Amino acid sequence: MEYTVPMPDPILKVEHLSMKFGGLVAIGDLSFEARRGDITALIGPNGAGKTTVFNCITGFYKPTEGMITMARRDGSAYLLERLPGHEITARARVARTFQNIRLFSGMTLLENLLVAQHNKLMKASGYTILGLVGIGGYRRASAEAIDLAKFWLEKADLIDRADDPAGDLPYGAQRRLEIARAMCTGPELLCLDEPAAGLNPRESHALNALLNDIKDHTGTSILLIEHDMSVVMEISDHVVVLEYGRKISDGDPTSVKSDPKVIAAYLGVEDEEIVEVLTEVGDDRVIEELDAEPDRDHGPPDSASMLAGPVTDTIAHSDDEERVSVMRGASKAERIEEREARDRAAGISGQPDDKRGGGE
Amino acid sequence: MQYFVQQLINGLTLGSIYGLIAIGYTMVYGIIGMINFAHGDIFMIGAFTALIVFLILGAVFYSVPVVIALLVMMIVAMLLTSLYNWTIEKVAYRPLRGSFRLAPLITAIGMSIALSNFVQVTQGPRNKPIPPMVSQVYNIGGISVSLKQIIIVIVTVSLLAIFWYVVNRTSLGRAQRACEQDRKMAALLGIDVDRTISITFIMGAALAAVAGTLFLMYYGVVVFSDGFVPGVKAFTAAVLGGIGSIPGAVVGGLMIGFIESMWSAYFSIDYKDVAAFSILAIVLIFLPSGILGRPEVEKV
Amino acid sequence: MAEAVSTERVAANTNYATAIREALFAGAISFGLFVLLVGLKTDQNIRNELILVQRWGVLAILVLLTMAGRFAYVAYLQPTLAARAAARAKAPAVAVEPSALRKNWTKLAVLGLFLYPVVIVALVGLQGSLKWVDNFGIQILIYVMLAWGLNIVVGLAGLLDLGYVAFYAVGAYSYALLASEFGWSFWILLPAAGMMAAFWGVILGFPVLRLRGDYLAIVTLAFGEIIRLVIINWREVTNGSAGISGIPKVTFFGIFNFDVSSPHYIGKVLGIATSGAYYKIFLYYLILLLAMLTAFVTIRLRRMPVGRAWEALREDEIACRSLGINTTTTKLTAFATGAMFGGFAGSFFAARQGFVSPESFVFLESAIILAIVVLGGMGSLAGIAVAAVVMIGGTEILREMQFLKAVFGDGFTPELYRMLLFGLAMVIVMVWKPRGFVGSREPTAFLHERKAVSASFTKEGHG
């Protein structure tokens, strides 16, 4: 997929974002952009820091360093890391959903969507006081709010269950309701944290339809975290890949898909499988190397046992360093980089890297 | 300076009693996550049991050595008070375990009301004074230390040592800590959760009974409503130290004891409780999980 | 056929065997519990020394009662309950069309409350009505109003407040001090007392909103105690433990009053006989209207964004934040609104008693109000009203049971057992209905039909 159309300005710009918890560096110097009108996917293996990025964007964490700029359609820009949590939704128009669904389970679907329109209704009810005595346009605003809720319930295919408690819904429907609820806040950027997790194929399909509908008809840009590659490939326009809090790839789905670093990192492959992966991708040098003995003169020994680093302690605790330092052998993407560097140094192959992914 | 040290000793004595009661609150909170509001009244039952044992000893034997009398009072009080707490847990808390969080809180408040009124009905509403049991006072460099205070501190320290050993070095303590972390998992691993919780209540009550006996010995008087104020103070101590943390309960107890004695000594005795409660509020505003409590992580 | 009978008999026999074993065990436990505290009574002799009085007979009766009760429970009640539960599980859920009585229950109840004094006066006469209107009517309605006020904080917003009585005290003292100092009218001071209490609600709320769960509970409890201790010790203003007496009565909007010596006494104005009952009946309607106002505002607020935000806060605070709701102001409004109604009730209380002292604002009051909220079913106005009638009315009725003296002898004072039974009733009702009388939640808006939300979905909040 090529971007031939002139791209509008990015809706969300993340620059040099770092997040440390004590000595643990969850995100290190991350920069990326999400374009207006696009579905941008944030992917990466478990523990890559995706949700942490989300929490920084939506104000649940205050980042240690960096700048997150949200550019609204009307031209106003907000530095999200400086806004109080609730104002990110109220003023900067960024809405989110949660990995472990957070619905108001004792309230009905309709009520869930009405709560989402809180700020608008508060104003209409004259901050409760006028509404309490029955003056002002609260009645009309309330009817409009119900109409908007109805609209989104229909979009999410939940209109029949509008008066049931949200906690009574099946899992997939709860996911869709959470998205509908976020949409009721009138967002310009919708952040979805693993919307397809735990869905069966049919529910997953319904979700894709809803997301495409949102993108096409409301002009809301979407930023999503996803594990399910089929969802990512099917709906996203742009993919950012994280590993250990660091960006390892950034581009359109097809290019990211074939980036060996991404494959290694994302699939979390074993040492020997990296070779297989590279073979699949069609890296000639690897194919050559497959039959060769490990080259002991160059670089460290390459045996699986040495490189299979311990599962724990993979992220170093650094106090003075901002960079994520990863235990040797833990970051699969780094190992691909290393291997390439070593190969280049050893001059195993003089051919240009024409078949490697476009993610660099 | 002498005056200050004097107040420090008074605070230590008071703080020891609060600390002993606070452990009961904090252990129960740690293991089942509820505020056992009746714990203050369990303390009062302990004091009353000790009082009655004291009177029996006085009536049956003409004179008993103080050490033996105290020991017998403590042991009987520990046994009967534990029985109370065990029964209360079984009747009022266990049926509600795993349901609605506020339900056991309400039954605990109900039990607290019932216990204090039970004692009022059976023992009468008046103050129950006893003749002083130990009256020796030592003068060390201008600071008077009474034997009562020494006994209180020694008993508290030795009980805490035993208690620390039980919680940290025995399989029972391990079971308790496991239940505290994850009750369901502990049950899956073959820990008898019901029994562990019962034992926790018994241990808390036993410490409260000792505190009750010491309280009776120190002040020489007890009344049916005595459960509330020390109970609330001890609970405050537990929260101040970080509820769920046993060292926290001791630290919190001592802090409340010091605040009270210092405030009464240097400012106004009328406002000593106001000072204790205000300091609680101030500490919690800056350390929302108490002094030694584990910070609550807001998982998004 | 014969076989079935014999297995049944065996089952019954083992059942009795278990029951006897259980009864003996319970007897042993109760003996342990009561042997010292019931078997012996500490009493003071002439020389003011404590002596022990032996009461082994009472102990034996108590132990035997426990055994009999346990036996009956295990042998008869438990199987019956189990059978009934099984039958209920088997029976298909039948949707019952609510009867006309049920549909209009609220209206009928309100009508009944308005007619109550009239009926009482008709039944027992003006003078005889005093007790029924005052002890039962007004007393229960004060608690209903307080519990409805606290319900906003605990039931809707899910913030556990153990110091609610502080706002009641603020309202009562505001009225008592301002009315006796400046002679201002109740009708001016009522809103002022409410504002004052709401102000204190915000003052308390502001620093503690960061706290969650039981930490919030203890700080609110501490706040309640601080207010009471300040009232006791600030003698120059509050007159300390002695309290403030001679608080002016409420007038009927200045048209007539209830002060016998005044030229505007209601008896003189309307030309009727002098009676203390008029004032009580007037107060009854006053508190009824105040309680109705609380209910009305609560119902209205629930359908407004702020009320929905309260409930959403109870369900999930983090989700609230993600929807752009300012959780701090939302919590503060809940605190302030709840406190305001506490303040109204407080100023009414001061006007009714004509006397306030710190004794009326102890932690026990907070506990009783909270218990009513939880026993009623958090959030449900009707359930809370029922709980108040059962708990407060029940303990008031104990005062009336003088016939018990005939049973237990003249030394028996039923009042003494009032709070003991109150505490036990709290435990029993809670164990019996952990979700309270009305566990389900009424939705605030609907598209097709209004369906009650089952208690298993609603949450109770973290605060």
Side-chain angles (χ1 to χ4, degrees), chain B residues 29 33-35 37 45 48-49 51-53 55-56 59 76 80 83-87 90-93 95-96 99-111 113-115 117-124 126-130 228-229 232 235-236 239-240 242-244 270-271 273-274 277-278 280-281 284-290 293-294 296 298-300, chain C residues 25 28-44 48-52 55 62 154 158 160 162 207-208 210-219 221-223 225-226 228-230 233-235 317-318 321 363-364 367-368 370-371 374-375 378 416-417 419-420 422-424 426-428 430-436 458-463:
Chain B
Y29 188 87
M34 74 166 273
I35 304 172
F37 244 101
I45 296 265
F48 253 95
T49 311
L51 169 79
I52 292 172
V53 173
L55 293 175
I56 293 174
V76 177
L80 291 190
L83 189 63
Y84 268 91
N85 221 13
W86 178 84
T87 313
K90 221 168 154 64
V91 173
Y93 306 153
L96 293 170
S99 89
F100 197 49
R101 185 175 61 97
L102 279 179
L105 179 74
I106 298 298
T107 55
I109 293 175
M111 268 299 167
I113 295 173
L115 281 181
N117 282 280
F118 164 70
V119 173
Q120 186 190 9
V121 166
T122 57
Q123 299 295 326
R126 297 172 67 173
N127 276 354
K128 306 284 173 186
I130 57 165
F228 179 68
V229 174
V232 168
F235 180 39
T236 306
V239 174
L240 193 58
I243 198 157
D270 289 342
Y271 285 99
D273 293 352
V274 175
F277 289 134
S278 308
L280 168 85
L284 286 184
I285 287 161
F286 292 105
L287 293 169
S289 311
R294 267 165 284 166
E296 200 179 319
E298 192 177 36
K299 191 91 178 140
V300 182
Chain C
F25 185 65
I29 297 289
S30 72
F31 178 77
L33 291 179
F34 300 139
V35 62
L36 288 188
L37 288 174
V38 174
L40 295 167
K41 180 173 176 4
T42 49
D43 242 334
Q44 260 150 333
N48 250 355
E49 290 166 342
L50 280 187
I51 47 155
L52 290 171
R55 283 188 303 199
L62 261 181
V154 179
L160 183 52
L162 289 179
V208 303
R210 251 154 47 88
L211 302 174
R212 294 168 72 87
D214 303 299
Y215 290 97
L216 181 70
I218 181 69
V219 174
L221 191 161
F223 181 74
E225 285 296 294
I226 288 174
R228 188 175 66 89
L229 291 167
V230 168
N233 290 309
W234 197 10
R235 294 187 196 86
E317 188 178 339
I318 287 175
R321 249 166 75 186
F363 168 71
L364 183 66
I368 290 174
L370 178 68
V374 178
L375 291 175
M378 302 214 316
L416 214 58
Y417 295 83
M419 288 320 287
L420 173 61
F422 184 87
L424 291 177
M426 267 166 82
V427 176
I428 292 165
M430 213 67 253
V431 170
W432 171 49
K433 278 192 174 297
R435 279 283 179 170
T458 49
K459 297 196 177 128
E460 52 191 314
H462 310 279

Side-chain angles (χ1 to χ4, degrees), chain A residues 59-60 85-86 89-90 96 98 102-108 110-111 114-116 118-119 121-122 125 128 131-132 134 138 146 150 153 159 162-165 167-168 181-182 185, chain C residues 296-297 300-306 308-309 311-313 315-316 318-327 330 441-451 453-454 457-459:
Chain A
F60 284 93
H86 64 93
T89 314
R96 74 168 290 177
F98 297 89
R102 287 182 175 274
L103 290 171
F104 306 123
S105 60
M107 302 173 86
T108 65
L110 180 67
E111 285 178 303
L114 290 178
V115 171
H118 177 80
N119 291 311
L121 288 173
M122 269 310 253
S125 67
T128 312
L132 198 60
Y138 177 60
I146 289 182
K150 234 183 198 160
L153 282 173
I159 192 78
D163 298 323
D164 289 335
D168 200 20
R181 189 182 68 181
T185 64
Chain C
F296 174 77
V297 171
R300 277 304 277 267
L301 284 180
R302 277 195 69 213
R303 292 180 192 158
M304 310 257 313
V306 69
R308 288 204 192 99
E311 290 200 74
L313 202 64
E315 298 285 321
D316 195 324
I318 287 175
C320 272
R321 249 166 75 186
S322 84
L323 296 175
I325 295 173
N326 186 338
T327 50
T330 307
R441 177 184 168 273
E442 193 80 0
T444 60
F446 61 97
L447 275 189
H448 313 297
E449 56 166 330
R450 192 184 289 279
K451 290 187 262 191
V453 174
S454 146
F457 296 115
T458 49
K459 297 196 177 128

Side-chain angles (χ1 to χ4, degrees), chain B residues 61-90:
Chain B
F61 309 99
Y62 187 66
S63 98
V64 186
V66 170
V67 181
I68 295 181
L70 264 181
L71 220 62
V72 173
M73 281 159 71
M74 256 180 223
I75 290 170
V76 177
M78 279 164 90
L79 286 176
L80 291 190
T81 312
S82 303
L83 189 63
Y84 268 91
N85 221 13
W86 178 84
T87 313
I88 289 171
E89 193 272 329
K90 221 168 154 64

Side-chain angles (χ1 to χ4, degrees), chain A residues 348-360:
Chain A
I348 289 176
S349 165
Q351 290 162 14
D353 299 347
D354 52 346
K355 280 180 186 160
R356 282 202 288 116
E360 294 218 6

